[in-house]
Amino acid sequence: MDTAMVLLVMTLAAQGEEDRLLAKIPDGLKAEQVFFAEDGKSVVFSAMAEKTWRVFYRGKKGPEFQSGWIYAILADGRPVYRGWDGKKNFLLVGEERSEPYSSAGDVVTSADRKRFAYKADIDYKYFVVSDGKAGEIFEEVDSLQMTPDGTHVA
C-alpha cells in the first residue's frame, strides 16, 4: 500500500464533478505551504525532507534548496518562490531562476496575476525587479505595492 500523504480536492456535488487527485506528497517529505490555482485544477506545495526544501507543481519538482518560501501563483499556474542554497537567494518562476541575490522577496502581483515585481539586494545595493529587469539602486527598499493593472510599482 502506498503510504504517501495525498492532497485531494473535494468538489461540490452540485458542480457535477467527481473528487480527483491533484498531487501526492512523496514519502519522507513534510508538506509546508499549499496553494491551489485559481481554477482549482492544480496545486502548488513546498515540502521539506531533512535539510532539503523544494516546490512541487504540475507534476514537476523544483530544484533543491536549504529553505525557501512560495509567494504567489501566477495566472498561468507557475509558482513564484524564493530558494536559499545556504549562501545566496534566488527568485524562481516555475523553472526559471534569477541571478543570485543576497536577499530577495516581498513579491507583489497585478490583480490578474500576469505581472509581478519583487525587491532584492546584492551586497546591500537594493533594487526592484519587474518583468525580469532590475531597476535603479537605492539605499533601502521598504515595502512594495503594484497597481491592480500592473503598470506601476511603488
Side-chain angles (χ1 to χ4, degrees):
M1 182 168 109
D2 187 3
T3 59
M5 185 175 178
V6 175
L7 293 175
L8 179 67
V9 170
M10 304 299 284
T11 56
L12 299 174
Q15 293 177 336
E17 295 181 11
E18 296 207 12
D19 299 342
R20 61 190 183 90
L21 179 67
L22 293 180
K24 279 188 177 182
I25 299 170
D27 285 331
L29 297 182
K30 176 187 169 203
E32 294 185 327
Q33 295 176 277
V34 178
F35 292 88
F36 292 95
E38 193 170 294
D39 64 7
K41 295 181 180 179
S42 63
V43 65
V44 173
F45 65 93
S46 64
M48 190 85 183
E50 295 183 28
K51 296 181 180 181
T52 302
W53 181 93
R54 67 181 350 151
V55 168
F56 295 80
Y57 71 102
R58 294 185 187 158
K60 300 175 186 177
K61 54 185 174 181
E64 292 183 349
F65 290 100
Q66 287 186 16
S67 68
W69 191 259
I70 301 172
Y71 290 102
I73 310 264
L74 298 179
D76 63 9
R78 293 179 302 158
V80 179
Y81 60 102
R82 176 188 48 80
W84 181 66
D85 68 3
K87 296 178 183 173
K88 294 290 185 179
N89 288 281
F90 299 87
L91 207 291
L92 294 91
V93 180
E95 298 172 27
E96 299 169 30
R97 184 190 299 221
S98 72
E99 65 180 288
Y101 300 120
S102 299
S103 68
D106 292 343
V107 174
V108 293
T109 64
S110 59
D112 64 5
R113 294 175 305 119
K114 290 183 179 178
R115 299 188 73 193
F116 70 97
Y118 60 94
K119 66 181 187 179
D121 86 272
I122 297 174
D123 300 326
Y124 304 104
K125 295 175 183 164
Y126 298 88
F127 50 94
V128 174
V129 178
S130 182
D131 295 328
K133 297 179 182 136
E136 179 180 346
I137 294 175
F138 297 97
E139 287 183 26
E140 185 177 340
V141 175
D142 199 17
S143 62
L144 296 180
Q145 296 286 322
M146 180 177 274
T147 57
D149 64 3
T151 58
H152 296 88
V153 177

